Amino acid sequence: MNERLAQWVTESKRIVFFGGAGVSTESGIPDFRSVDGLYNQQYDYPPETILSHSFFMRKTEEFYRFYRNKMLFLDAEPNAAHRKLAEWEQKGQLTGVVTQNIDGLHQKAGSKKVYELHGSVLRNHCMRCGKFHDVAEIKNGTGVPKCECGGTIKPDVVLYGETLNDEVVSGACAAIERADLLIIGGTSLAVYPAAGLIDLYRGSRLVLVNLSATPQDSRADLVIHEPIGKVFAELP
Ligand code: NAD
């Protein structure tokens, strides 16, 4: 167990966790930038292109082929990291989870205060009439999913070229600004504007838990290059 982190956790009342795709790899969901991540697999287009607003609008069927195969892991279960964060919130030690993930696993683990910067695959709406559609409808269908009204259904996922939701961002900012311990985990900190939010932290306990080095390692007060599920499983 990392004793220093364990002690900081015990002493903290306003922990905020800022995470990314690496939080869910131990649940079987591939991230983007690891060696076996999506960016190192071969497709007709780079994932950044497929997951962009303009690609969605122009080549919707191709978007959905990739999306169904590579982004929808509806049977995935939370791992020790998701579960520990939910536990801290229940005990009144954690004020929020700010995530770049779109898989809904924090909520599945029991977390309530989750700021989903990039939306969620679990919510889908018709672009014409706004009707909500369950994710199972998207997963089990073929081709471009359509609403009864004839409109195209779009996942509530922030694609490249789209803006983040203001309300989610301001909630995340407020939580980070007031945090007494900020733990950043499972993120390459390469995707902006999300990664910029950690600059709002004013405390003196900035912890980074990530398998590989990140551009922010040098400013962290504690850096742990180990699997996050393993690290969190051992924490109080
Ligand atoms: P990323 O792929 O850029 O980086 C993931 C980081 O996590 C890497 O630095 C890697 O070393 C680290 N990592 C992988 N497994 C880990 C583990 N078990 N323990 C600790 N660290 C681990 O992901 P990102 O920074 O989140 O940014 C990319 C974008 O990916 C985000 O916008 C997000 O929306 C999207 N995404 C989400 C999911 C998901 O919802 N699960 C999956 C893939 C991509």
Side-chain angles (χ1 to χ4, degrees):
M1 175 164 58
N2 188 294
E3 298 293 345
R4 203 153 153 229
L5 179 54
Q7 184 172 351
W8 285 357
V9 166
T10 314
E11 291 170 359
S12 300
K13 292 193 168 55
R14 290 182 312 279
I15 303 172
V16 169
F17 179 78
F18 180 95
V23 175
S24 295
T25 54
E26 286 163 83
S27 294
I29 304 181
D31 64 6
F32 279 176
R33 292 178 183 80
S34 291
V35 268
D36 51 356
L38 293 181
Y39 282 8
N40 292 307
Q41 302 177 16
Q42 288 305 312
Y43 300 105
D44 294 345
Y45 303 89
E48 296 100 317
T49 305
I50 304 178
L51 296 172
S52 68
H53 180 80
S54 59
F55 194 91
F56 178 86
M57 299 307 284
R58 278 185 296 113
K59 294 182 181 287
T60 318
E61 193 164 351
E62 185 128 17
F63 169 91
Y64 269 113
R65 210 168 21 241
F66 176 90
Y67 181 80
R68 279 196 185 93
N69 283 332
K70 302 294 176 186
M71 308 297 292
L72 291 182
F73 295 88
L74 304 182
D75 297 331
E77 291 296 331
N79 62 52
H82 300 104
R83 289 195 299 269
K84 186 69 69 176
L85 290 164
E87 233 178 81
W88 290 344
E89 184 184 340
Q90 254 157 33
K91 288 200 280 182
Q93 284 177 279
L94 176 138
T95 50
V97 169
V98 180
T99 183
Q100 299 164 86
N101 291 349
I102 54 178
D103 55 31
L105 287 186
H106 286 294
Q107 291 91 333
K108 207 170 181 180
S111 285
K112 305 276 184 252
K113 279 254 168 267
V114 184
Y115 300 98
E116 294 178 309
L117 295 175
H118 294 158
S120 171
V121 297
L122 301 182
R123 295 186 297 269
N124 301 274
H125 288 94
C126 171
M127 293 172 79
R128 187 185 291 172
C129 73
K131 185 181 173 211
F132 177 89
H133 291 267
D134 196 85
V135 64
E137 208 182 303
I138 313 289
K139 179 76 177 173
N140 301 331
T142 51
V144 177
K146 292 283 184 186
C147 183
E148 296 83 339
C149 78
T152 296
I153 301 171
K154 183 178 181 293
D156 285 359
V157 164
V158 180
L159 300 172
Y160 290 97
E162 294 179 343
T163 50
L164 307 191
N165 178 293
D166 281 344
E167 222 172 287
V168 174
V169 171
S170 46
C173 290
I176 292 170
E177 274 169 2
R178 294 188 203 119
D180 56 4
L181 170 63
L182 178 64
I183 308 177
I184 300 169
T187 171
S188 60
L189 293 172
V191 178
Y192 280 80
L197 297 191
I198 64 167
D199 293 341
L200 296 168
Y201 178 60
R202 302 190 192 116
S204 56
R205 292 174 171 183
L206 177 64
V207 181
L208 250 162
V209 185
N210 205 59
L211 276 183
S212 56
T214 79
Q216 304 295 343
D217 281 16
S218 59
R219 68 182 261 212
D221 302 293
L222 175 62
V223 178
I224 304 172
H225 288 155
E226 286 178 54
I228 192 160
K230 175 182 167 284
V231 172
F232 273 53
E234 295 168 355
L235 291 172

